[in-house]
Amino acid sequence: MRDRDFDTLVIGSGGAGLLAARRAADGGQRVLVLERAPVLGGTTAVSGGMVWVPNSSVMREHGMPDSREDALRYLKRVTEGAVETWRLEQYVETAPEVVDYLHAKTPVRFFPIDRPDYHSHWPGARDVGRTLDNVPFPTAGRPGLIERIRRGKHFDAVTYDERHRWHSPELFDHELVARRRAEGVLTVGAALAAGLVAACDEAGVRFVTGARVRGLLVEDGRVTGVRVTTADGPAVHRASTGVVLASGGYEWNERLKRAHLGVAGTRPISPPWNHGDGLLMAMEAGAALAGMSQAWWVPAVAVPGEEYDDAPLSRHLVGERCLPGSVIVNRQGRRFVNEAVNYNDITKAFLTFDPTEHDYPNAPAWLVFDEAFRRRYPITSVQPGDPVPDWFERADSPTALARRLGIDPDRLAATLEEFNRHAARGEDPAFGRGGTSHDRYYGDDRHGPNPCLAPLEQGPFYAVRVEPGMIGTKGGVVTDAGGRVLRHDDTPIAGLYACGNVAATPMGPGYPGSGGTLGPALVGGYLCGSTLAASGGSGEGER
């Protein structure tokens, strides 16, 4: 067993951990990042990479007005009173500072997009600017960098803004995307992760991949290091200043999900490395927990045979449920939700419990669409010109489709008849689909009178199974304003810090807008790193 000493150890290499590492290194800390997977970037690297930041300098530069007061008014409603006001105030004040820091000190660059807040009709919300996308990140001038970064199957070499604007195949710029691939240009979450890894490299931060942290070293009540297992065997790393837990959530740990979320069988969208290692270590050290019944929920589709890192791959269902010509129905053949609402809240409707039947009637559900929809829009990884895959349920009529799905044929037929009658006029009196700017964001602006609504009339008819999924879990350890992990009596566990999904989010049960996961993760990493940087460091050691 080998001992290696650093000032700061960071467990996990997602956005939160990387920013914590770089910020600590700014203060002269000798920093080591330990990553369980063979590549860097964590869940951040396979995400859309957007960050939700109100009242930023980037918004002002693009003539997009915002205010601290409006952001707080909006967040207080989003968080449903479950989060202390000081945490919301800290987020609103610190998030713009994080963006300015990243632009000044790292190669990460953001630009604002016209993505409405998830509750765009609420007081204090904004239709543009709070969601920041990543400028494409070139890796050609940094030899070996791209091979170190995790790559996902969910996003091509396009910005999130381009992905939205190119929602139809004829709009897609294949030449630009091919050139980016050839030149090693990264976008979305991979761009953010690569920019942060590059920033850490520039500051002398060390990385070890394939290193699973097995436990914390605690001496005289202080966390002083970690026990690690690598391909070379067990090792001990000591930290003179602190250990930062940034190891992600517990969405791949079925035992923890059953214990805390109260639901089983939900589909993780993240890479299959988030088993709650950091959470379990913090609990053993006496950490207080909060928000453990919450997740960053998404409706998910599993394509048979698709895998990622030797685990089943699930895909996040986004535009397919908002575009005109589709509906989501439950096992009774009924619609039960506005299909175009944000993915966190729509999935809560999947988890509704029927006390009379003692059942969850909306899980699983089905995305139902017709031939006109299939020929016009992508459906998960299936493009309009592709052959119809075997995992699409298919029938010549709604009643025949219902029989294939095992749901009431008359009820599905009645549901579509009622939906079609109103959709032809651009109306949805049952759920109001397309009634807000958020709903319309993923609609088809070429289609009227409502970009989210069209009748399902052209056979054959299709269905795809949709299940509750999650980007990650929300609950975790409680931290103070500097990122220190707290006990149940609100005293800090000396030497222990946390950020990202291993820590309880300041967003509580809500989700303010695209980037509402990564925004708090980066703020948390920045706060941890700033606290550690203020502690000073030797500025020496292994490089």
Side-chain angles (χ1 to χ4, degrees):
M1 182 177 290
R2 295 165 293 131
D3 285 25
R4 294 184 179 179
D5 294 344
F6 291 84
D7 295 318
T8 294
L9 300 174
V10 177
I11 316 305
S13 67
L18 292 171
L19 184 49
R22 169 57 200 248
R23 192 73 187 93
D26 290 343
Q29 297 277 310
R30 298 168 301 160
V31 183
L32 174 67
V33 176
L34 297 165
E35 170 55 54
R36 178 182 172 186
V39 287
L40 304 173
T43 305
T44 299
V46 301
S47 74
M50 293 176 292
V51 295
W52 188 85
V53 180
N55 200 30
S56 70
S57 59
V58 181
M59 288 183 70
R60 290 191 292 275
E61 289 166 5
H62 286 78
M64 299 173 176
D66 200 0
S67 71
R68 175 183 181 276
E69 293 72 26
D70 276 352
L72 281 172
R73 182 180 301 112
Y74 178 67
L75 280 179
K76 286 178 180 177
R77 183 166 178 183
V78 167
T79 54
E80 302 176 19
V83 178
E84 301 100 320
T85 299
W86 72 263
R87 293 187 187 275
L88 303 181
E89 292 174 340
Q90 183 182 47
Y91 183 79
V92 169
E93 292 162 3
T94 307
E97 182 180 331
V98 171
V99 171
D100 291 342
Y101 168 82
L102 290 170
H103 282 193
K105 300 293 186 180
T106 81
V108 172
R109 295 292 181 271
F110 295 117
F111 66 97
I113 63 175
D114 61 347
R115 182 73 169 94
D117 287 342
Y118 282 170
H119 304 280
S120 54
H121 55 298
W122 286 3
R126 289 292 185 274
D127 274 351
V128 296
R130 285 180 176 168
T131 292
L132 305 181
D133 198 351
N134 289 270
V135 173
F137 185 81
T139 63
R142 301 177 187 271
L145 176 62
I146 195 169
E147 291 80 12
R148 298 162 64 199
I149 304 301
R150 175 173 291 282
R151 307 292 294 279
K153 293 186 176 183
H154 297 91
F155 296 97
D156 208 332
V158 298
T159 68
Y160 201 91
D161 188 54
E162 290 166 345
R163 183 175 184 253
H164 164 61
R165 296 183 188 283
W166 300 345
H167 53 66
S168 191
E170 64 268 21
L171 302 175
F172 197 88
D173 192 335
H174 294 277
E175 182 179 337
L176 173 62
V177 173
R179 186 165 65 249
R180 284 177 179 164
R181 289 198 207 103
E183 295 174 355
V185 175
L186 299 178
T187 57
V188 291
L192 177 57
L196 288 170
V197 169
C200 287
D201 289 342
E202 293 167 358
V205 172
R206 290 284 306 276
F207 291 92
V208 177
T209 56
R212 186 171 188 179
V213 178
R214 297 291 185 174
L216 300 173
L217 300 179
V218 182
E219 301 173 5
D220 298 325
R222 180 180 183 85
V223 175
T224 58
V226 297
R227 300 190 310 276
V228 184
T229 301
T230 69
D232 297 328
V236 168
H237 293 291
R238 296 187 179 274
S240 60
T241 306
V243 172
V244 180
L245 300 175
S247 51
Y250 58 89
E251 63 271 17
W252 285 92
N253 187 318
E254 288 298 324
R255 183 174 183 178
L256 286 176
K257 286 200 296 183
R258 285 195 300 270
H260 296 288
L261 294 178
V263 292
T266 51
R267 292 191 170 275
I269 305 297
S270 60
W273 300 88
N274 298 336
H275 288 85
D277 291 0
L279 176 67
L280 293 170
M281 285 184 276
M283 291 167 64
E284 187 175 353
L289 306 180
M292 293 294 289
S293 63
Q294 300 292 333
W296 303 102
W297 298 110
V298 296
V301 172
V303 178
E306 278 197 323
E307 290 189 344
Y308 182 76
D309 283 6
D310 299 321
L313 174 71
S314 298
R315 293 182 178 271
H316 177 185
L317 194 73
V318 185
E320 298 91 335
R321 56 189 172 81
C322 308
L323 289 162
S326 70
V327 296
I328 290 178
V329 299
N330 63 14
R331 287 182 283 119
Q332 298 170 349
R334 302 175 187 270
R335 291 178 71 211
F336 57 93
V337 71
N338 172 2
E339 294 91 346
V341 299
N342 73 81
Y343 46 78
N344 185 64
D345 290 344
I346 191 177
T347 311
K348 293 179 182 180
F350 280 66
L351 300 171
T352 299
F353 181 71
D354 182 341
T356 303
E357 297 297 328
H358 201 79
D359 190 17
Y360 293 90
N362 304 333
W366 298 90
L367 178 78
V368 176
F369 50 96
D370 67 355
E371 178 68 10
F373 186 92
R374 187 192 73 80
R375 289 181 176 275
R376 192 166 194 184
Y377 304 117
I379 300 155
T380 66
S381 58
V382 181
Q383 297 301 313
D386 293 347
V388 178
D390 293 340
W391 54 275
F392 278 21
E393 295 290 349
R394 175 179 179 173
D396 291 332
S397 68
T399 53
L401 182 65
R403 293 187 184 98
R404 290 187 62 87
L405 302 178
I407 62 180
D408 185 328
D410 293 335
R411 173 48 55 193
L412 179 60
T415 294
L416 293 186
E417 181 181 359
E418 180 182 7
F419 177 83
N420 289 348
R421 185 170 67 255
H422 296 293
R425 299 194 296 269
E427 300 171 353
D428 179 21
F431 296 104
R433 177 169 161 183
T436 68
S437 56
H438 171 269
D439 285 11
R440 295 188 292 272
Y441 177 79
Y442 280 116
D444 187 343
D445 56 13
R446 302 166 300 174
H447 175 84
N450 186 324
C452 301
L453 293 173
L456 285 69
E457 298 174 321
Q458 182 180 337
F461 296 85
Y462 304 89
V464 170
R465 182 184 176 104
V466 186
E467 299 174 89
M470 61 185 72
I471 298 170
T473 51
K474 284 186 172 187
V477 301
V478 178
T479 57
D480 70 4
R484 302 173 186 85
V485 176
L486 299 178
R487 299 182 181 89
H488 287 277
D489 62 359
D490 287 336
T491 60
I493 299 173
L496 189 61
Y497 301 77
C499 53
N501 282 352
V502 72
T505 177
M507 296 303 161
Y511 210 141
S514 289
T517 306
L518 263 176
L522 293 181
V523 167
Y526 182 80
L527 293 170
C528 289
S530 298
T531 304
L532 288 160
S535 302
S538 67
E540 302 174 356
E542 293 187 39
R543 285 285 193 253

